Amino acid sequence: RPEPASTWKRKFEELQAYKATFGNCMVPQRYQANPQLGTWVHTQRRQYRLMAEGKKTSMTKERAAALDSIGFFWAAKHSRDLPLEGGDGSDSSDRSGRAKSA
């Protein structure tokens, strides 16, 4: 089995490729072209929540910063506004999923 850090890096690179194609990081959880990537993205959001709650998690500040650097949305509810295979990701919320203040 691959070492977890190398697996994470490989999936991060796949996410970067997805963003290059679709212009966002909103991979559908059941993404037919790469189902494992959709699951991985969902897992990153779950692990980030655990980190924010101070619970045991595989998420690190470095991983969160890497995901932030490519425009990762930490709340999946944005995906309801996007086409199944991508979209521009622009709406009135920030990446944490909270509405921006006016």
Side-chain angles (χ1 to χ4, degrees):
R1 220 181 135 157
E3 197 263 324
S6 63
T7 299
W8 193 93
K9 184 177 180 186
R10 183 172 40 83
K11 289 296 178 194
F12 180 75
E13 290 168 355
E14 290 175 17
L15 180 59
Q16 288 176 305
Y18 179 93
K19 183 179 181 183
T21 300
F22 296 108
N24 65 68
C25 297
M26 297 300 296
V27 182
Q29 192 169 352
R30 291 177 180 86
Y31 179 45
Q32 287 188 343
N34 186 344
Q36 295 84 8
L37 182 61
T39 300
W40 183 84
V41 165
H42 174 75
T43 299
Q44 299 316 297
R45 291 188 181 107
R46 185 168 24 93
Q47 293 299 317
Y48 184 81
R49 279 192 303 275
L50 290 172
M51 184 177 78
E53 295 168 1
K55 297 180 179 175
K56 185 176 178 180
T57 178
S58 61
M59 181 59 64
T60 64
K61 290 180 182 179
E62 293 77 17
R63 288 177 176 181
L67 289 164
D68 276 338
S69 76
I70 63 168
F72 189 77
F73 281 95
W74 293 105
K77 59 184 165 184
H78 293 84
S79 63
R80 292 186 187 125
D81 300 327
L82 299 176
L84 276 181
E85 297 298 318
D88 70 4
S90 61
D91 64 13
S92 62
S93 300
D94 66 16
R95 279 179 289 173
S96 68
R98 295 183 299 268
K100 291 179 184 173
S101 54

